[in-house]
Amino acid sequence: MGLKNIIAGVSAAAMTFALTGCGEKKSSNKEIKEFDGFYAARIAPISDDNEIQKIIADKTGVLVHQNFVDDQDSINKIISDMIVANKYPDYISPDAESCQKLLKAGAFIPIDNYWDDYPNIKKLCTDKEWDRVRASDGHIYYIPLFSSVNVKETTPTHSGEAFWVQTKVLEWADYPELKTPDDYFDLIERYLAANPTNEKGEPYYGYEIQANDTWFFALDNPPMFLDGHPNDGCCIVDPDTLTAIDYNLSPTAKKWFRKLNEEYKKGVIDQECFVMTSDQYYKKIATGRVLGMVDQNWNFSGSTNELPPECTYIPFGLTIDESIEEHYRDRNSFNDSTGVGISISCDDPDGAVKFLSDLLEPEILNLRFWGIEDTDYYVNEDGYFDQDEEQYAKWRDSDYRRDHVCTYDYMPYYFGMAPDGINAYNSSTQSSIFYEHLSEPVKKCLSAYGSQTYSGLLNDPPENPPWYPMWSFSNAVTEDTDYGKVMKQIDAVKHKYLPLLVMSSDYEKTWEEYTSEYAKIDSQKYFDELTAEVRRRSAD
């Protein structure tokens, strides 16, 4: 069933993706089954004649037309219209809240009815992990993404949250130790005083904040990290009592927002940060004029591709007090709140499941993430994958990737090691390739801090506790429950008051107003449910 016939009522603004049909076409040597898919993600589309996608199609007999939408209003509209029409694309990878709506609507087929014939899928997760996505009827309706690691993690970068600052700022200050927010902002203030503008005479933004309705975590959750806790997102967890604790009004939260208030008044923080759209935020990052920010690397890294080396962002794991041990890195966390599922509108569910399995075959995984041997990489006598300079440059060229590379991003795969256990799963995490191609300013910076990788600047993560991460639960909470209604009330108060705290001319007064409004919410009802989920996940 093609998307053209699925969402006829969607508005023109929402229908921003290509509409394709599911059917069969002739390839050079076999019939190719065409599926379509809808993915709530910010991914650059590939060309219709993508070379590796065609090779994968020839080897598997399947080609999927991928339609990516990242605007939340459009996603909500499209998903709602799908549910009303009860017509869906073959594959759907929704955001967490939409996933719950689709499950309630009965939009997905039970994948576990098919996977006995396709063990690649079943072994993607442990039995305990599968139980975390198992519905109340006992079935599995979607496959979690970005949650599986083969052998060990290999990433030399840090994709998560940190306090980021540009390399040139660190070099200017002779690579100082940064342990607390005071250290961090003192560095930025001193750099701004000495260097208020770039070489074009354009003023720098000392610190930027993305804080719109869709992306709010950079403003919201630093108190959790500053107190040395991992990224549970919605709460901190006491490991001794298995209790979810609210950090929104903690002493560290009050101290953190006071610090932001001080820096805003000094003009260090961009005065327009709370009226920006996400697009404006990414564009400011892309100018190279933003010296620092708190953010998840996966959120802003796409805006840094054209920046000069001296504007490279370096991560620091700050805490509110030097005595606290930071915990910004984590082991690959299991996200059970959403994934990719196959819809009830798919006219060949067995074929759709088989393709997910085929995508996990060693040959196909190498095609997805390394490309074509001797074209995109070469293999030395020890079986180690490497790239010459031409291969390295092409693999990272946006035009080449659009026409040649097909990773099927929002379909299942493993992080960590390639299936051979020798190589990293992709060239970007192959340690020798990574370090060899760092710019000299970045090499110099990392070396000054005793590291060859970005991830090495942060503490090694301990084993994830069984409840981690709690955001995978909260992301899936809807207003269908009493505690879900409370969560929305909490979010509404924070969205109103946290920007006001930063901009306030009377911080103590605004903090009192914030705490007073927060106290009107029965927040314990929400945190009791979070505690119950922590204990459910921790049960043997």
Side-chain angles (χ1 to χ4, degrees), residues 296-361:
Q296 302 266 352
N297 181 266
W298 56 259
N299 183 47
F300 75 83
S301 59
S303 300
T304 65
N305 294 333
E306 305 301 324
L307 292 181
E310 63 271 17
C311 292
T312 300
Y313 289 99
I314 305 298
F316 286 86
L318 306 185
T319 55
I320 201 68
D321 184 281
E322 287 190 29
S323 65
I324 298 172
E325 187 172 354
E326 59 93 349
H327 191 157
Y328 282 74
R329 285 181 63 198
D330 54 19
R331 294 178 185 268
N332 197 62
S333 54
F334 186 74
N335 180 11
D336 57 5
S337 65
T338 188
V340 61
I342 298 166
S343 82
I344 57 174
S345 297
C346 180
D347 65 4
D348 184 9
D350 186 75
V353 175
K354 180 180 184 300
F355 182 63
L356 296 179
S357 177
D358 289 341
L359 286 175
L360 295 168
E361 288 292 321

Side-chain angles (χ1 to χ4, degrees), residues 174-423:
D174 197 23
Y175 307 107
E177 288 294 318
L178 301 179
K179 299 291 188 181
T180 68
D182 287 340
D183 298 336
Y184 178 84
F185 281 109
D186 176 68
L187 169 64
I188 291 176
E189 285 182 39
R190 289 189 292 112
Y191 185 87
L192 279 174
N195 306 275
T197 64
N198 64 13
E199 64 280 0
K200 298 178 181 179
E202 300 167 324
Y204 284 118
Y205 304 103
Y207 184 84
E208 192 58 86
I209 303 173
Q210 184 181 29
N212 54 48
D213 287 342
T214 302
W215 304 112
F216 199 70
F217 54 79
L219 180 65
D220 177 17
N221 66 22
M224 171 183 62
F225 287 103
L226 290 170
D227 272 335
H229 296 282
N231 188 21
D232 274 304
C234 54
C235 65
I236 59 179
V237 177
D238 183 332
D240 297 323
T241 62
L242 298 180
T243 301
I245 299 171
D246 186 355
Y247 62 77
N248 289 305
L249 302 181
S250 70
T252 294
K254 184 176 183 180
K255 189 173 182 179
W256 164 242
F257 290 111
R258 184 194 301 279
K259 185 64 180 177
L260 291 182
N261 178 265
E262 293 170 355
E263 299 301 325
Y264 187 86
K265 289 177 179 177
K266 293 176 183 178
V268 172
I269 295 175
D270 178 12
Q271 305 294 288
E272 299 177 342
C273 62
F274 297 122
V275 295
M276 286 191 308
T277 64
S278 287
D279 186 56
Q280 290 171 325
Y281 171 78
Y282 299 130
K283 286 180 178 178
K284 284 186 177 181
I285 298 293
T287 66
R289 293 163 56 199
V290 174
L291 301 181
M293 68 280 183
V294 169
D295 202 348
Q296 302 266 352
N297 181 266
W298 56 259
N299 183 47
F300 75 83
S301 59
S303 300
T304 65
N305 294 333
E306 305 301 324
L307 292 181
E310 63 271 17
C311 292
T312 300
Y313 289 99
I314 305 298
F316 286 86
L318 306 185
T319 55
I320 201 68
D321 184 281
E322 287 190 29
S323 65
I324 298 172
E325 187 172 354
E326 59 93 349
H327 191 157
Y328 282 74
R329 285 181 63 198
D330 54 19
R331 294 178 185 268
N332 197 62
S333 54
F334 186 74
N335 180 11
D336 57 5
S337 65
T338 188
V340 61
I342 298 166
S343 82
I344 57 174
S345 297
C346 180
D347 65 4
D348 184 9
D350 186 75
V353 175
K354 180 180 184 300
F355 182 63
L356 296 179
S357 177
D358 289 341
L359 286 175
L360 295 168
E361 288 292 321
E363 179 185 16
I364 304 302
L365 284 169
N366 283 346
L367 277 169
R368 292 169 69 186
F369 297 107
W370 278 96
I372 302 170
E373 184 177 346
D374 295 329
T375 297
D376 299 308
Y377 68 101
Y378 65 92
V379 184
N380 70 17
E381 60 186 14
D382 297 319
Y384 200 72
F385 296 177
D386 206 345
Q387 293 176 318
D388 61 32
E389 289 305 313
E390 182 181 358
Q391 291 168 337
Y392 180 88
K394 285 199 304 182
W395 191 253
R396 287 153 182 80
D397 178 77
S398 58
D399 291 336
Y400 183 77
R401 292 187 67 83
R402 183 177 62 252
D403 295 334
H404 179 77
V405 179
C406 176
T407 57
Y408 278 119
D409 302 83
Y410 276 68
M411 301 293 240
Y413 63 90
Y414 292 93
F415 289 126
M417 302 294 288
D420 60 14
I422 300 172
N423 296 283

Side-chain angles (χ1 to χ4, degrees), residues 23-36:
E24 295 188 357
K25 70 174 184 179
K26 288 283 186 180
S27 176
S28 58
N29 57 4
K30 64 166 64 176
E31 294 285 347
I32 301 297
K33 179 78 174 185
E34 294 188 7
F35 294 105
D36 51 21

Side-chain angles (χ1 to χ4, degrees), residues 4-230:
K4 286 182 179 178
N5 300 317
I6 288 174
I7 335 169
V10 178
S11 68
M15 189 65 75
T16 56
F17 51 85
L19 298 177
T20 62
C22 175
E24 295 188 357
K25 70 174 184 179
K26 288 283 186 180
S27 176
S28 58
N29 57 4
K30 64 166 64 176
E31 294 285 347
I32 301 297
K33 179 78 174 185
E34 294 188 7
F35 294 105
D36 51 21
F38 172 81
Y39 306 88
R42 186 175 180 238
I43 299 291
I46 61 176
S47 67
D48 292 338
D49 295 321
N50 183 278
E51 186 174 0
I52 288 179
Q53 186 178 48
K54 288 185 174 182
I55 294 172
I56 293 174
D58 282 335
K59 291 180 178 294
T60 64
V62 170
L63 185 148
V64 178
H65 297 278
Q66 303 171 95
N67 303 288
F68 295 100
V69 178
D70 67 339
D71 177 73
Q72 194 61 50
D73 289 339
S74 296
I75 291 168
N76 294 342
K77 171 64 174 171
I78 292 165
I79 294 292
S80 295
D81 285 4
M82 286 179 184
I83 291 172
V84 169
N86 198 32
K87 299 292 184 181
Y88 307 92
D90 302 299
Y91 294 102
I92 312 175
S93 181
D95 62 285
E97 186 169 345
S98 295
C99 187
Q100 295 304 306
K101 293 177 181 178
L102 290 164
L103 287 170
K104 186 176 180 180
F108 294 123
I109 67 164
I111 291 173
D112 53 316
N113 280 354
Y114 298 84
W115 70 11
D116 285 345
D117 293 328
Y118 308 109
N120 284 348
I121 296 176
K122 192 171 185 180
K123 69 183 183 182
L124 189 68
C125 303
T126 66
D127 289 343
K128 190 169 185 178
E129 288 170 338
W130 282 123
D131 285 341
R132 284 177 57 177
V133 298
R134 196 177 298 279
S136 58
D137 64 4
H139 285 299
I140 304 293
Y141 288 98
Y142 58 88
I143 300 173
L145 300 174
F146 321 119
S147 296
S148 299
V149 176
N150 184 41
V151 184
K152 64 179 181 179
E153 294 191 30
T154 56
T155 179
T157 58
H158 176 59
S159 65
E161 189 155 328
F163 281 77
W164 302 88
V165 64
Q166 288 187 345
T167 305
K168 66 172 179 279
V169 179
L170 297 167
E171 181 179 20
W172 173 85
D174 197 23
Y175 307 107
E177 288 294 318
L178 301 179
K179 299 291 188 181
T180 68
D182 287 340
D183 298 336
Y184 178 84
F185 281 109
D186 176 68
L187 169 64
I188 291 176
E189 285 182 39
R190 289 189 292 112
Y191 185 87
L192 279 174
N195 306 275
T197 64
N198 64 13
E199 64 280 0
K200 298 178 181 179
E202 300 167 324
Y204 284 118
Y205 304 103
Y207 184 84
E208 192 58 86
I209 303 173
Q210 184 181 29
N212 54 48
D213 287 342
T214 302
W215 304 112
F216 199 70
F217 54 79
L219 180 65
D220 177 17
N221 66 22
M224 171 183 62
F225 287 103
L226 290 170
D227 272 335
H229 296 282

